[in-house]
Amino acid sequence: IGVWMLKDPRTSPWISYLAIVFFGLGIPIFGYRFIKPDVLTLAPEGIVWRSIFRTARWRWDEVKGFRPYAPTGKTVTKHIGFDFTEAYRGQGAGLRGATRALTGVEGSLGTGWELKPADLCDLLNQARARWLH
């Protein structure tokens, strides 16, 4: 689209170049994620979610109630949602109520996992019940 915009004399070339750079960066990111997808590790200590840009960790006593949810009414794909316990003091802890009011969950593991959302939620709830001290 950015290249096509360059051919239009009414469009600023800076906007065209910005579109080329912005969408062009998506190609290597997509390729990297295709080769090295996100990893979700369940261990006695808790959950570790490694993605391309960050690693998130939650102890079992910080999370509860894993369930499938749709972030918006128009979303067809189900995401993995959960709530935090009172023990959670991590990033975004102060926004829990607002996030829950908007989405119905306080935290999310997103979508695109190998298991169906309901199956992954069952697995996460079973792991929490098994390893929660």
Side-chain angles (χ1 to χ4, degrees):
I1 292 174
V3 173
W4 175 71
M5 289 170 56
L6 276 174
K7 296 180 180 181
D8 186 355
R10 297 173 293 165
T11 305
S12 168
W14 291 108
I15 294 174
S16 302
Y17 291 127
L18 184 63
I20 291 168
V21 169
F22 179 77
F23 291 106
L25 287 175
I27 295 169
I29 291 172
F30 172 79
Y32 182 80
R33 290 197 58 160
F34 186 73
I35 295 167
K36 189 172 170 98
D38 289 3
V39 175
L40 189 63
T41 305
L42 310 182
E45 300 80 32
I47 304 168
V48 178
W49 175 19
R50 287 185 175 86
S51 66
I52 186 172
F53 294 115
R54 71 182 187 128
T55 298
R57 291 178 169 80
W58 298 283
R59 295 186 324 263
W60 290 117
D61 67 339
E62 295 178 324
V63 294
K64 65 179 178 179
F66 293 95
R67 61 195 177 278
Y69 81 102
T72 66
K74 298 177 183 178
T75 305
V76 176
T77 306
K78 294 286 186 180
H79 292 227
I80 309 300
F82 60 91
D83 294 322
F84 292 107
T85 65
E86 295 303 318
Y88 180 69
R89 300 282 183 251
Q91 182 179 7
L95 300 173
R96 290 166 56 171
T99 304
R100 186 176 181 89
L102 290 171
T103 64
V105 296
E106 295 176 358
S108 176
L109 297 174
T111 188
W113 300 102
E114 291 182 27
L115 296 176
K116 293 178 183 176
D119 294 340
L120 182 54
C121 288
D122 288 344
L123 179 67
L124 289 163
N125 286 319
Q126 290 169 8
R128 182 181 188 273
R130 177 181 178 190
W131 286 321
L132 186 62
H133 297 65

